[in-house]
Coordinates of all heavy atoms in Angstrom, one line a residue:
D1 N -22.8 -1.1 0.5 CA -23.9 -1.9 1.2 C -23.4 -2.5 2.5 O -22.3 -3.1 2.5 CB -24.3 -3.1 0.3 CG -25.3 -2.6 -0.8 OD1 -25.6 -1.4 -0.9 OD2 -25.7 -3.5 -1.6
T2 N -24.1 -2.2 3.6 CA -23.7 -2.6 4.9 C -24.7 -3.6 5.5 O -25.9 -3.2 5.6 CB -23.5 -1.5 5.9 OG1 -22.5 -0.6 5.4 CG2 -23.1 -2.0 7.2
Y3 N -24.3 -4.8 5.8 CA -25.2 -5.8 6.4 C -24.8 -5.9 7.9 O -23.6 -6.3 8.2 CB -25.0 -7.2 5.7 CG -25.4 -7.2 4.3 CD1 -24.5 -6.8 3.3 CD2 -26.7 -7.6 3.9 CE1 -24.9 -6.8 1.9 CE2 -27.1 -7.7 2.6 CZ -26.2 -7.3 1.6 OH -26.5 -7.3 0.3
S4 N -25.7 -5.6 8.8 CA -25.4 -5.7 10.2 C -26.0 -6.9 10.8 O -26.9 -7.6 10.2 CB -26.0 -4.4 10.9 OG -25.5 -3.2 10.4
N5 N -25.4 -7.3 11.9 CA -25.9 -8.5 12.7 C -26.0 -9.8 11.9 O -26.9 -10.5 11.9 CB -27.3 -8.2 13.3 CG -27.3 -7.0 14.2 OD1 -26.4 -6.8 15.0 ND2 -28.3 -6.1 14.0
V6 N -24.9 -10.0 11.2 CA -24.8 -11.3 10.5 C -24.1 -12.3 11.5 O -23.0 -12.1 11.9 CB -23.9 -11.2 9.2 CG1 -23.8 -12.5 8.5 CG2 -24.5 -10.1 8.3
G7 N -24.8 -13.3 11.9 CA -24.4 -14.2 12.9 C -23.6 -15.3 12.5 O -23.9 -16.0 11.4
F8 N -22.5 -15.6 13.2 CA -21.7 -16.8 13.0 C -21.4 -17.5 14.3 O -21.2 -16.9 15.3 CB -20.4 -16.5 12.3 CG -20.6 -16.0 10.8 CD1 -20.5 -14.7 10.5 CD2 -20.8 -16.9 9.8 CE1 -20.7 -14.2 9.2 CE2 -20.9 -16.5 8.5 CZ -20.9 -15.2 8.2
A9 N -21.3 -18.8 14.3 CA -21.1 -19.6 15.5 C -19.6 -19.7 15.8 O -18.7 -19.8 15.0 CB -21.6 -21.0 15.3
G10 N -19.3 -19.6 17.1 CA -17.9 -19.7 17.6 C -17.4 -21.1 17.4 O -18.1 -22.1 17.5
G11 N -16.1 -21.2 16.9 CA -15.4 -22.4 16.7 C -15.7 -23.1 15.4 O -15.2 -24.1 15.1
R12 N -16.6 -22.5 14.6 CA -16.9 -23.1 13.3 C -16.5 -22.1 12.2 O -16.7 -20.9 12.3 CB -18.5 -23.3 13.2 CG -18.9 -23.8 11.8 CD -20.4 -23.8 11.7 NE -20.8 -24.2 10.4 CZ -22.1 -24.0 9.9 NH1 -23.0 -23.5 10.6 NH2 -22.4 -24.4 8.6
Y13 N -15.8 -22.7 11.2 CA -15.3 -21.8 10.1 C -16.4 -21.0 9.4 O -17.4 -21.6 9.0 CB -14.5 -22.7 9.1 CG -13.7 -21.8 8.2 CD1 -12.5 -21.2 8.6 CD2 -14.0 -21.6 6.8 CE1 -11.7 -20.5 7.8 CE2 -13.3 -20.9 6.0 CZ -12.1 -20.3 6.5 OH -11.3 -19.5 5.6
A14 N -16.2 -19.7 9.4 CA -17.2 -18.8 8.8 C -16.8 -18.4 7.4 O -15.6 -18.1 7.2 CB -17.5 -17.6 9.7
E15 N -17.7 -18.2 6.5 CA -17.4 -17.8 5.1 C -18.3 -16.7 4.6 O -19.5 -16.9 4.8 CB -17.4 -19.0 4.1 CG -16.3 -20.0 4.4 CD -16.3 -21.1 3.3 OE1 -17.1 -22.1 3.4 OE2 -15.5 -20.9 2.3
V16 N -17.8 -15.7 4.0 CA -18.6 -14.7 3.3 C -18.0 -14.6 1.9 O -16.8 -14.4 1.7 CB -18.4 -13.3 4.0 CG1 -19.3 -12.3 3.3 CG2 -18.9 -13.4 5.5
Y17 N -18.9 -14.7 0.9 CA -18.5 -14.7 -0.5 C -19.4 -13.8 -1.3 O -20.6 -13.9 -1.1 CB -18.5 -16.1 -1.1 CG -18.2 -16.3 -2.5 CD1 -16.9 -16.3 -3.0 CD2 -19.3 -16.4 -3.5 CE1 -16.7 -16.5 -4.4 CE2 -19.0 -16.5 -4.8 CZ -17.7 -16.5 -5.3 OH -17.5 -16.7 -6.6
A18 N -18.9 -12.9 -2.1 CA -19.7 -12.0 -2.9 C -19.2 -12.2 -4.3 O -18.0 -12.2 -4.6 CB -19.6 -10.6 -2.4
E19 N -20.2 -12.3 -5.2 CA -19.9 -12.4 -6.7 C -20.8 -11.4 -7.4 O -22.0 -11.5 -7.4 CB -20.2 -13.9 -7.1 CG -19.9 -14.2 -8.5 CD -20.2 -15.6 -8.8 OE1 -19.3 -16.5 -8.5 OE2 -21.2 -15.9 -9.4
G20 N -20.1 -10.5 -8.1 CA -20.8 -9.5 -8.9 C -21.1 -9.9 -10.3 O -20.8 -11.0 -10.7
S21 N -21.6 -8.9 -11.1 CA -22.0 -9.2 -12.5 C -20.8 -9.0 -13.4 O -21.0 -9.1 -14.6 CB -23.2 -8.3 -12.8 OG -22.8 -6.9 -12.7
G22 N -19.7 -8.5 -12.9 CA -18.5 -8.3 -13.8 C -18.4 -6.9 -14.3 O -17.4 -6.6 -15.1
R23 N -19.2 -6.0 -13.8 CA -19.1 -4.6 -14.3 C -18.1 -3.7 -13.6 O -17.6 -2.8 -14.2 CB -20.5 -4.0 -14.2 CG -21.7 -4.7 -14.9 CD -23.0 -4.0 -14.8 NE -23.0 -2.8 -15.7 CZ -23.9 -1.8 -15.6 NH1 -24.7 -1.8 -14.6 NH2 -23.8 -0.8 -16.5
T24 N -17.9 -4.0 -12.3 CA -17.0 -3.1 -11.6 C -16.2 -3.9 -10.6 O -16.4 -5.1 -10.3 CB -17.7 -2.0 -10.8 OG1 -18.6 -2.6 -9.8 CG2 -18.6 -1.2 -11.8
D25 N -15.3 -3.2 -9.9 CA -14.5 -3.8 -8.8 C -15.3 -3.7 -7.5 O -15.8 -2.6 -7.2 CB -13.1 -3.1 -8.7 CG -12.3 -3.5 -7.5 OD1 -12.5 -4.7 -7.0 OD2 -11.5 -2.7 -7.0
L26 N -15.4 -4.9 -6.8 CA -16.1 -4.9 -5.5 C -15.0 -5.2 -4.4 O -14.2 -6.1 -4.7 CB -17.2 -5.9 -5.5 CG -18.4 -5.7 -6.4 CD1 -19.4 -6.8 -6.2 CD2 -19.0 -4.3 -6.1
D27 N -15.1 -4.6 -3.3 CA -14.3 -4.9 -2.1 C -15.2 -5.4 -1.0 O -16.3 -5.0 -0.9 CB -13.5 -3.7 -1.7 CG -12.4 -3.4 -2.7 OD1 -12.0 -4.2 -3.5 OD2 -11.8 -2.2 -2.6
L28 N -14.6 -6.3 -0.2 CA -15.4 -6.9 0.9 C -14.6 -6.6 2.2 O -13.4 -6.8 2.3 CB -15.5 -8.4 0.7 CG -16.2 -9.2 1.8 CD1 -17.6 -8.9 1.9 CD2 -16.0 -10.7 1.5
F29 N -15.4 -6.2 3.3 CA -14.8 -6.0 4.6 C -15.8 -6.7 5.6 O -17.0 -6.5 5.5 CB -14.7 -4.5 4.9 CG -13.7 -3.8 4.1 CD1 -14.1 -3.3 2.8 CD2 -12.4 -3.6 4.4 CE1 -13.2 -2.6 2.0 CE2 -11.5 -3.0 3.6 CZ -11.9 -2.5 2.4
V30 N -15.2 -7.3 6.6 CA -16.0 -8.0 7.7 C -15.4 -7.4 9.0 O -14.2 -7.5 9.3 CB -15.9 -9.5 7.7 CG1 -16.7 -10.1 8.8 CG2 -16.4 -10.0 6.3
Y31 N -16.3 -7.0 9.9 CA -16.0 -6.5 11.2 C -16.7 -7.3 12.3 O -17.9 -7.7 12.1 CB -16.4 -5.0 11.3 CG -15.7 -4.1 10.3 CD1 -16.3 -3.9 9.1 CD2 -14.5 -3.4 10.7 CE1 -15.6 -3.0 8.2 CE2 -13.9 -2.6 9.7 CZ -14.5 -2.4 8.5 OH -13.9 -1.6 7.6
D32 N -16.1 -7.4 13.5 CA -16.8 -8.1 14.6 C -17.7 -7.1 15.3 O -17.7 -5.9 15.0 CB -15.9 -8.8 15.5 CG -14.9 -7.9 16.3 OD1 -15.1 -6.7 16.3 OD2 -13.9 -8.5 16.8
Q33 N -18.4 -7.6 16.4 CA -19.3 -6.7 17.2 C -18.5 -5.6 17.9 O -19.2 -4.6 18.4 CB -20.1 -7.6 18.2 CG -19.2 -8.2 19.2 CD -19.9 -9.4 19.9 OE1 -20.3 -10.3 19.3 NE2 -20.0 -9.3 21.2
N34 N -17.2 -5.7 18.1 CA -16.4 -4.7 18.7 C -15.8 -3.7 17.8 O -15.0 -2.9 18.2 CB -15.3 -5.4 19.6 CG -15.9 -6.3 20.7 OD1 -16.9 -5.9 21.3 ND2 -15.3 -7.4 20.9
G35 N -16.1 -3.9 16.5 CA -15.6 -3.0 15.5 C -14.3 -3.3 14.9 O -13.7 -2.5 14.2
N36 N -13.7 -4.5 15.3 CA -12.4 -4.9 14.8 C -12.6 -5.4 13.3 O -13.5 -6.2 13.1 CB -11.8 -6.0 15.7 CG -11.6 -5.5 17.1 OD1 -10.9 -4.6 17.3 ND2 -12.3 -6.2 18.0
L37 N -11.6 -5.1 12.5 CA -11.6 -5.6 11.2 C -11.1 -7.1 11.2 O -10.1 -7.4 11.7 CB -10.6 -4.8 10.3 CG -10.5 -5.4 8.8 CD1 -11.8 -5.3 8.1 CD2 -9.4 -4.6 8.1
I38 N -12.0 -8.0 10.8 CA -11.7 -9.4 10.8 C -11.0 -9.9 9.6 O -10.1 -10.7 9.6 CB -13.0 -10.2 11.0 CG1 -13.6 -9.9 12.4 CG2 -12.8 -11.7 10.9 CD1 -12.8 -10.2 13.6
C39 N -11.5 -9.4 8.4 CA -11.0 -9.9 7.2 C -11.4 -8.9 6.1 O -12.4 -8.2 6.2 CB -11.5 -11.3 6.9 SG -10.9 -12.1 5.3
S40 N -10.6 -8.8 5.0 CA -11.0 -8.0 3.9 C -10.4 -8.6 2.6 O -9.4 -9.4 2.6 CB -10.4 -6.6 4.0 OG -9.0 -6.6 4.0
D41 N -11.1 -8.3 1.5 CA -10.6 -8.7 0.2 C -10.8 -7.5 -0.7 O -11.9 -7.1 -1.0 CB -11.4 -9.9 -0.3 CG -10.8 -10.5 -1.6 OD1 -10.0 -9.9 -2.2 OD2 -11.3 -11.7 -2.0
T42 N -9.6 -7.0 -1.2 CA -9.7 -5.8 -2.0 C -8.9 -5.9 -3.3 O -8.4 -4.9 -3.8 CB -9.0 -4.6 -1.2 OG1 -7.6 -5.0 -0.8 CG2 -9.8 -4.3 0.1
D43 N -9.0 -7.1 -3.9 CA -8.3 -7.3 -5.2 C -9.2 -6.6 -6.3 O -10.3 -6.1 -6.0 CB -8.1 -8.7 -5.5 CG -9.4 -9.5 -5.7 OD1 -10.5 -8.9 -5.7 OD2 -9.4 -10.7 -5.9
A44 N -8.6 -6.5 -7.5 CA -9.3 -5.8 -8.6 C -10.3 -6.6 -9.3 O -10.1 -6.8 -10.5 CB -8.2 -5.2 -9.5
S45 N -11.3 -7.2 -8.6 CA -12.3 -8.0 -9.3 C -13.6 -7.8 -8.5 O -13.6 -7.1 -7.5 CB -11.9 -9.5 -9.3 OG -12.1 -10.1 -8.0
D46 N -14.7 -8.4 -9.0 CA -15.9 -8.4 -8.2 C -16.3 -9.7 -7.7 O -17.4 -10.1 -7.4 CB -17.1 -7.8 -9.0 CG -17.5 -8.6 -10.2 OD1 -16.7 -9.6 -10.5 OD2 -18.5 -8.4 -10.8
V47 N -15.2 -10.6 -7.5 CA -15.4 -11.9 -6.8 C -14.5 -11.8 -5.5 O -13.3 -11.7 -5.6 CB -14.9 -13.0 -7.7 CG1 -15.0 -14.3 -6.9 CG2 -15.8 -13.1 -8.9
V48 N -15.2 -11.7 -4.4 CA -14.4 -11.4 -3.1 C -14.8 -12.4 -2.1 O -16.0 -12.9 -2.0 CB -14.7 -10.0 -2.6 CG1 -14.0 -9.0 -3.5 CG2 -16.2 -9.7 -2.6

């Protein structure tokens, strides 16, 4: 699932949290408008 144009304010701490139903492993990736990888969470759970 890809969510585009998610806006965050400069200078303010930004948070993205996903919580699944417990059935599978979910991974989370965040990219900026220039395509740079900002942060990722790839542990073996569906809480990222």
